Amino acid sequence: MNKKAVLGVLAAAIAVAYGGSTWWAGSQIKSRYDTAFDELPKQTALVRVAERKYERGFLGAVSTVTLEIGCAPDAAAAVASKPAEGDEAEEDDEEDAGIKPPKQLRLTIRDTIHHGPLAGGTLAAATIDSELVLDAKVQADVEKFFGKAKPLTAHTKVGFSGAVTTDLTVAPVKLAEEGKGRLDWQGAQARVEVNAARTQARYDLTVPGLDFSDARSGITMKMGKLTAKADMDSSAGWFLATGKSEGRLDTLEFAIKKKAAADGAAAAETPKALPTVVLQGIDLLADASIKDGLYTSSGTLKGAGKIGETKIDKFELTSSARRIHAAGYKKLADAWMQSGAVNGCGKGGSKASQAAMQALAEQLAPDLKAMAKYAPEAGLDRMLVEIDGKRGELGYTVSMAGVTDEDLQLPGTALMMKRGALKAHARLPMKWLEKLAETGAESGQTPPPEMVAGLVEQGEAMGFVKRDGDDVTGQVEFSDGSLKVNGKPLGGMGSAGK
């Protein structure tokens, strides 16, 4: 065989191999689309696939899907647990006649798909460019905010392993009306990476900033750069995602400015200005894990700032949940998301809707009570504020402890009273209480500052608070069906401190 023949055979082989790879990639991508949209309605009662079209070619495809977000039109009938009887049915019909179900939001998303192995010039199983499809009326409204830019776009790369990387962009918004206000949103960018099994996800988010003002209410808000990232494991379900996440907000400024009184209006009728709140260097840290089937999570928010002329040297807030039975929680969360009644569907406030919610609560009650056996605990571990070297702190936890199989036969309220526990504590500098009284004296909402010391002494004599140097402290504990204040059982008024 001569050289030209060999090259011809080789070229044909490459063409066949490439064509086979392209066809395989197209088949895999369509299969993933089918699976994703089949699963979507099963996850929540609030999202449905209203229309869907998939036009597949050899080198690519176009997927167009319309999602309906909100309650289904027939939700009113779906939430009714059973038909009413006799006169009650007629009364329900009359009562519900004037109640309209919430309006649904429809979003149409068009994906332009390029099949691999060379997808849009990139070595990948596929690349996908996504955008919102808007009708003429909506497009005109959107252009008032985004101009000619596409409000939301995404570029996705699908690897040969099935892993997905998506770059998402939200366009900036600039809107200003004389005498009404302005909005300057600098957009947002995010990168999301998900493994083939959709059990591992990483994301990075950047929001450059926001500047907003409303002349009618006098509200102004400025937000500096926000960044966030996370590395999560969702193999136990998205409600039980584990891993670490962190974020940082450079600055946040909020104020309500006093407006001039309108002609003929009394000064007291005009909104009062509130001190400008400025928060700086705000860090958010979160962590979650599952061990021996029990879920634990914690989150911390901390930073510094200023309220009016008062400088906040430090603030910190930490909350957590511990020993949450993962399987039980997932079952409750799935039922909650899949219930139209719980999500406000149907004729909100109607007897049928209320009955459906009651039926769901009764259905889930045994699972909820069973979780109590694992001694779950949650609360605000600590909220701390430091100003001029003075520190205020408070916190609380609620939990269940020592629950037995026999206890689970009790009604929910009786179980809580028997095995529920609450611990709360607070520490506030005396100077802060005096300052708060001084600030609120003008409105008559607080006692005069000179009365604060006397009231604290009275509370101390009754055992409700304690003095610890320059601070006022208090502790409350409920357990084993009894209440203690500062370590002593709560007796009659005036006897707690004796």
Side-chain angles (χ1 to χ4, degrees):
M1 186 179 292
N2 61 33
K3 185 176 180 180
K4 289 184 178 181
V6 172
L7 291 176
V9 171
L10 181 60
I14 292 174
V16 170
Y18 185 87
S21 298
T22 300
W23 185 256
W24 173 85
S27 300
Q28 292 297 306
I29 296 301
K30 186 178 185 304
S31 176
R32 286 179 173 273
Y33 268 77
D34 292 339
T35 300
F37 287 119
D38 286 343
E39 291 179 355
L40 184 61
K42 302 175 184 178
Q43 297 173 4
T44 172
L46 296 180
V47 180
R48 293 164 301 285
V49 178
E51 299 175 12
R52 185 175 170 230
K53 183 189 294 184
Y54 196 95
E55 301 172 288
R56 180 181 172 185
F58 182 71
L59 296 177
V62 176
S63 167
T64 306
V65 61
T66 298
L67 300 178
E68 193 175 74
I69 302 173
C71 301
D74 59 349
V79 300
S81 58
K82 60 179 180 179
E85 298 180 0
D87 295 337
E88 289 186 4
E90 295 180 3
E91 291 175 3
D92 286 348
D93 291 341
E94 293 177 1
E95 177 185 337
D96 298 345
I99 304 176
K100 296 182 180 180
K103 188 176 180 180
Q104 298 84 32
L105 171 66
R106 291 171 71 93
L107 290 178
T108 299
I109 303 170
R110 180 169 57 220
D111 292 341
T112 302
I113 305 163
H114 303 279
H115 297 156
L118 288 177
T122 301
L123 188 62
T127 59
I128 305 168
D129 291 299
S130 307
E131 62 180 316
L132 294 176
V133 179
L134 309 174
D135 60 35
K137 182 180 182 303
V138 175
Q139 180 66 38
D141 292 335
V142 166
E143 286 184 4
K144 295 177 183 178
F145 295 90
F146 296 96
K148 295 298 182 181
K150 295 179 180 179
L152 178 67
T153 58
H155 178 75
T156 300
K157 178 181 177 180
V158 183
F160 294 106
S161 67
V164 172
T165 299
T166 298
D167 290 302
L168 183 71
T169 300
V170 181
V173 173
K174 286 192 176 182
L175 182 67
E177 292 188 52
E178 186 67 30
K180 292 185 178 181
R182 74 178 188 281
L183 170 64
D184 186 356
W185 157 263
Q186 297 178 32
Q189 299 83 39
R191 166 165 284 197
V192 182
E193 300 175 9
V194 182
N195 70 341
R198 291 189 291 175
T199 57
Q200 302 280 338
R202 297 182 61 185
Y203 76 80
D204 287 275
L205 170 70
T206 300
V207 180
L210 168 70
D211 192 344
F212 167 81
S213 68
D214 179 51
R216 184 177 57 180
S217 63
I219 294 176
T220 64
M221 183 175 71
K222 295 181 180 181
M223 187 181 80
K225 184 179 180 180
L226 168 67
T227 57
K229 61 181 179 179
D231 194 342
M232 301 180 295
D233 183 335
S234 61
S235 54
W238 285 107
F239 286 108
L240 292 164
T242 59
K244 298 181 183 294
S245 58
E246 59 183 85
R248 182 174 180 85
L249 177 59
D250 290 345
T251 59
L252 177 63
E253 181 177 329
F254 178 85
I256 299 181
K257 297 180 180 180
K258 184 176 181 179
K259 299 189 299 179
D263 294 342
E269 295 176 355
T270 62
K272 292 185 177 180
L274 294 181
T276 299
V277 178
V278 179
L279 304 180
Q280 299 170 322
I282 306 167
D283 289 317
L284 173 63
L285 305 172
D287 191 7
S289 61
I290 296 178
K291 183 178 181 180
D292 298 329
L294 301 180
Y295 179 77
T296 297
S297 67
S298 65
T300 299
L301 178 72
K302 58 184 179 180
K306 185 169 67 170
I307 301 178
E309 298 302 319
T310 302
K311 182 181 179 183
I312 302 174
D313 301 318
K314 176 183 180 181
F315 69 84
E316 183 177 323
L317 185 150
T318 300
S319 61
S320 64
R322 294 172 285 277
R323 298 185 298 278
I324 308 299
H325 186 235
Y329 178 75
K330 185 177 186 303
K331 184 176 182 179
L332 294 173
D334 287 343
W336 187 270
M337 289 298 295
Q338 293 164 12
S339 167
V342 168
N343 286 283
C345 297
K347 298 180 179 179
S350 69
K351 290 184 178 180
S353 180
Q354 293 172 6
M357 291 186 68
Q358 179 64 31
L360 180 64
E362 292 174 357
Q363 172 191 335
L364 298 178
D367 297 300
L368 184 61
K369 288 199 293 185
M371 293 172 65
K373 289 185 62 177
Y374 300 91
E377 180 179 281
L380 177 64
D381 299 337
R382 183 171 72 163
M383 184 171 72
L384 178 151
V385 178
E386 189 174 300
I387 300 173
D388 292 334
K390 299 291 184 180
R391 174 177 294 191
E393 183 177 335
L394 61 86
Y396 71 87
T397 59
V398 292
S399 62
M400 299 289 289
V403 176
T404 65
D405 290 334
E406 183 180 355
D407 292 332
L408 295 180
Q409 306 307 311
L410 295 171
T413 303
L415 176 62
M416 287 291 295
M417 293 299 296
K418 182 178 180 181
R419 297 301 185 186
L422 164 69
K423 292 183 179 180
H425 68 275
R427 174 181 291 271
L428 292 173
M430 186 68 179
K431 287 186 177 181
W432 289 12
L433 297 177
E434 294 171 348
K435 183 65 176 178
L436 289 172
E438 181 181 343
T439 302
E442 294 182 3
S443 63
Q445 300 298 315
T446 60
E450 58 271 15
M451 292 183 59
V452 172
L455 291 173
V456 171
E457 288 180 5
Q458 184 179 357
E460 186 177 14
M462 299 178 69
F464 294 136
V465 298
K466 287 184 176 182
R467 287 295 298 269
D468 183 5
D470 295 331
D471 296 338
V472 179
T473 69
Q475 293 181 336
V476 176
E477 180 179 351
F478 176 84
S479 60
D480 299 324
S482 64
L483 181 65
K484 294 181 180 179
V485 177
N486 294 320
K488 297 183 179 180
L490 182 63
M493 197 66 172
S495 64
K498 294 181 181 180

